Amino acid sequence: MRNVKFAVALLVMLSPGVLNAAFEVETILKANIDVPILDVTTNPAEELVFVLTPGAVLIYSTADQAVLDRIPVAKPFDRIAYQDPDRLILTAAEPSRIDIIRFSRIFDIDLSGRAIKGPRDAKVTLVVFDDYQ
């Protein structure tokens, strides 16, 4: 049995052409940006791509294939990193600087046809999702 294991291991090591791996490629996001891209980071859980440009972070949705928002930032930043579910780390080499910013995603909820209390144009809307079954 020991000789069989050795022969199989030797066969695997000596025949790399037989063990080819194949990859399937799919484009997740394709966007034309009119300004230079300095750095990119992602949040795969929410399908978000953060693109650092001079003076702004563009937030792209891979699900919607669109820009969701733009966060203005100081121009010297040249690197971006994603941290936790709600933080971005921006760094600059010249002048040496680091900023950690927190962001919150705001969702629009269609309330048409729903029971509401109070003015329709209220600044804050509380929505309760209940299941009485």
Side-chain angles (χ1 to χ4, degrees):
M1 186 65 170
R2 183 176 173 188
N3 290 339
V4 172
K5 288 181 183 178
F6 178 73
V8 169
L10 186 61
L11 180 63
V12 168
M13 289 188 305
L14 294 177
S15 59
V18 177
L19 302 173
N20 290 328
F23 293 93
E24 208 172 284
V25 178
E26 173 188 4
T27 300
I28 307 265
L29 175 69
K30 195 179 260 191
N32 294 324
I33 300 174
D34 297 331
V35 294
I37 297 173
L38 302 175
D39 201 5
V40 176
T41 189
T42 63
N43 173 351
E46 292 190 37
E47 298 182 341
L48 298 177
V49 177
F50 301 92
V51 179
L52 178 62
T53 64
V57 174
L58 304 176
I59 305 174
Y60 280 88
S61 166
T62 58
D64 299 335
Q65 295 287 308
V67 176
L68 296 178
D69 208 349
R70 179 183 182 279
I71 302 171
V73 297
K75 288 211 182 240
F77 290 113
D78 53 11
R79 306 224 23 222
I80 188 171
Y82 175 78
Q83 178 192 26
D84 294 329
D86 64 347
R87 293 184 188 159
L88 294 173
I89 301 172
L90 301 167
T91 57
E94 291 293 328
S96 185
R97 181 175 170 181
I98 182 170
D99 278 11
I100 299 175
I101 59 174
R102 180 175 293 162
F103 63 93
S104 297
R105 191 157 183 197
I106 300 170
F107 295 91
D108 288 329
I109 300 173
D110 183 16
L111 299 177
S112 58
R114 306 286 182 203
I116 62 168
K117 182 177 182 180
R120 289 193 177 271
D121 60 346
K123 292 184 180 182
V124 176
T125 303
L126 298 178
V127 179
V128 178
F129 296 95
D130 284 330
D131 186 1
Y132 294 108
Q133 294 182 10

